Amino acid sequence: MSQPKLTFQGQTIEVEPGTTILEALHTLGQDVRSDCEFGNCGTDPVVVLSGMENLSKPVDDEEWNLKFNKFPDNVRMACVTQITGDVEVELFQ
Ligand code: FES
């Protein structure tokens, strides 16, 4: 089976299943601010352009944060969202 791929700004890398989006973005050299790294603070939102079904379900802290801060449905916190299949993301502005 092929490894999951993350695409960001036209760059695609293969990652181990379970790698977080934040770890993958770091591998691509992206300096993403991430204050808490457990899904709660809301500093590392990414827009999922494709592959939402290829991501881990939100942990409780992320679920609370997504609702409390009224992020759109296609936004996830990079620090706690694990990649299980191909996905394309961009930074949430
Ligand atoms: S670093 Fe706080 S939500 Fe990701």
Side-chain angles (χ1 to χ4, degrees):
M1 206 173 94
S2 63
Q3 289 199 308
K5 295 184 188 67
L6 173 123
T7 300
F8 176 79
Q9 291 184 339
Q11 292 178 281
T12 300
I13 54 167
E14 289 190 346
V15 298
E16 292 292 327
T19 301
T20 65
I21 293 174
L22 185 64
E23 289 166 339
L25 291 177
H26 284 165
T27 301
L28 283 171
Q30 292 296 315
D31 186 19
V32 180
R33 183 177 162 193
S34 54
D35 287 355
C36 77
E37 303 209 351
F38 59 86
N40 185 268
C41 73
T43 56
D44 60 346
V46 293
V47 178
V48 181
L49 299 174
S50 67
M52 186 64 101
E53 70 280 11
N54 294 329
L55 296 170
S56 59
K57 300 275 179 267
V59 296
D60 287 351
D61 280 306
E62 184 191 6
E63 197 160 302
W64 175 86
N65 166 28
L66 291 169
K67 284 190 185 134
F68 182 80
N69 289 306
K70 298 186 171 60
F71 283 110
D73 288 347
N74 62 348
V75 168
R76 297 293 307 270
M77 293 301 123
C79 60
V80 286
T81 304
Q82 297 177 330
I83 302 164
T84 59
D86 294 355
V87 62
E88 181 170 2
V89 302
E90 67 182 14
L91 298 181
F92 180 77
Q93 306 289 339

